Amino acid sequence: MNSEHTTRKNRIVISFLLLLVTFGLYVRVHNFGFISYDDPFLFVNNPQVNSGLSWDNILWAFTSSDRLHWMPLTWITHMIDFQIYGASAPGHHLTNLAIHLLNTALLLLFLYKATNRYWQSVFVASLFALHPLHVEPVAWIAARKDLLSSLFCFATLLLYVRYVERPGTVRYLLTVGMYILSLMAKPMMVTLPYLLLVLDYWPLQRTSFGSSAESGPIVNKGRCLRLVYEKIPFIVASAAFALLAYLSQSRSNAVSTIQDVSLPSRAANVIVAYADYVWKFFWPAKLAVIYPYRSSIPAWEVVVSALFLLLVTVWVFRNAKDHRYLPAGWLWFLGTLFPVIGIIPIGHISMADRFTYIPMIGVSIIIAWGVPELLKKRRVVLRPSAVAVSAITVLLVLTIASWEYLSYWKDSLSLFSRAAAVTEGNFVSLSNVGAELEKQGKYDEAIQYYLESVRVEPRFDLGYSYLGYALSKKSDYYQALYYFTKAVELNPDLEEAKVGLAICRFEISRRNKPFSKTSAAQGGTSGHNSSSGF
């Protein structure tokens, strides 16, 4: 009894230390500001959010669907932040950190309750808490929706384990209700019914297998069907929120890209993105807030990525009989990432670090359970102290990498300069660097970045509009007129470009300088030439 008490006490201490280290890693976000990418659009300049809690604002949160997602719970948390902290960024950042700490604790508790393996569970939770891929959702206030959705998702998984241990109507309804709350924060986990079936396979062992002399292993189809029927309320909720998410993003033009993306191009991006996510998990270098969508991917890259995914899939299923955690972890990764892998292109991005927040748990499970099994199979005997030192070393390296990457999130200029430097063709990051330089009055430098952004993506309507406004601030209205005209030609509904166009015509007319299409085109040509030295 005393020994068991000591073990429990040690586990509490270790869990607390993990949360303390995570807090120490991220606490400096308290000194960071808002990011100019989505933060202003979503809540800083959103009157329904920045005015704090009110019945009208709460009603808006439940009825609005024109800003990327239907996510009333996320809107309400932002309203609470503005009610408490106002427009001061530190408090908003600390809320994100607090949710990340809660997520880490819930993940650890869920895995331990489901598997009864503490050390593997704490290692997975540590990777989740400290990995550089998870810097983005913690450091970016606009990624609150990912954190909050995950919070309710982990609570759902924990309740599901409780329900499996002691089935009952109340526990079942609580589990379904918690899942709906997750979807109301962000419909990322529309694949949770599928994930629950994976958990039924491992670690909950609810699927039963038999054997026959003639055909070998067989599946108890009746029991498997009952497990599927059990998920029907989850599936209905998932389908409803998936449809709602698609309609919301369609209204906000989030599912459209700058150029039409063909099906073969999308398929290639899906294959390469899956492989890239795994690569970034093991080698988290060159992380960026934006990874631009590549319309043309080298064939060799697609082939290598497809071969890698195929080999891993074959390997995990060939070893599934004795190591169920292998297909369970791999299916966790593949399935939970599927909604955002790019089958339906979302804006101009090919992938995003925040999308890995839950999916990479699957890869972590394979490592946490697989490495000890591999050493055992190879008859490699390591002292517990050696195992602990090895695990701590890995986590320390990841923590240092996260600390270094976190420094780029201190302001928008650092963040987008980093993204432009470590990626190719990142016209959005280039234009954002230009915008930050323009705020500082460095118009010539800003113009060079804007020119480079439209050189990289000639159909970037906003880039031409940004160029027009930067040139207008230098009173160069002829060149500004050319770029505003170009922006409107690409997107006749771009209101800011049409306003800029009217301003330029007014200023040219007021100064009695005759305007002609020839002079505008000449001005535009000289502007493009100036980008050659960028």
Side-chain angles (χ1 to χ4, degrees), residues 130-159:
L130 305 172
H131 199 284
L133 280 174
H134 295 168
V135 166
E136 179 177 300
V138 182
W140 188 15
I141 299 173
R144 171 79 57 81
K145 54 188 178 291
D146 299 274
L147 296 172
L148 199 62
S149 173
S150 300
L151 175 68
F152 292 112
C153 174
F154 292 140
T156 301
L157 296 180
L158 185 58
L159 286 171

Side-chain angles (χ1 to χ4, degrees), residues 133-134 146 186-192 194-195 269-281 309 329-344 346 350-363:
L133 280 174
H134 295 168
D146 299 274
K186 180 187 177 182
M188 171 71 179
M189 287 308 299
V190 291
T191 54
L192 187 127
Y194 152 90
L195 181 57
N269 186 75
V270 167
I271 293 169
V272 172
Y274 265 124
D276 279 350
Y277 278 124
V278 177
W279 173 253
K280 288 183 181 297
F281 180 79
L309 295 172
W330 189 239
L331 291 173
W332 179 312
F333 165 69
L334 294 176
T336 57
L337 193 56
F338 183 79
V340 289
I341 199 60
I343 298 295
I344 299 175
I346 301 175
S350 62
M351 53 193 297
D353 294 347
R354 63 188 179 278
F355 294 162
T356 70
Y357 198 65
I358 284 181
M360 280 307 172
I361 295 170
V363 179

Side-chain angles (χ1 to χ4, degrees), residues 429-484:
S429 290
L430 287 166
S431 67
N432 275 283
V433 172
E436 294 307 311
L437 291 170
E438 186 179 340
K439 290 177 185 177
Q440 298 176 13
K442 300 176 181 179
Y443 299 122
D444 290 332
E445 293 180 50
I447 289 168
Q448 294 304 309
Y449 275 95
Y450 291 145
L451 285 169
E452 181 65 7
S453 72
V454 296
R455 184 196 68 79
V456 170
E457 179 45 74
R459 298 182 64 183
F460 184 30
D461 52 350
L462 284 173
Y464 291 108
S465 182
Y466 297 155
L467 262 170
Y469 277 106
L471 289 163
S472 295
K473 290 178 181 178
K474 294 185 65 180
S475 298
D476 194 344
Y477 294 109
Y478 283 109
Q479 285 199 71
L481 185 66
Y482 169 78
Y483 289 114
F484 281 131

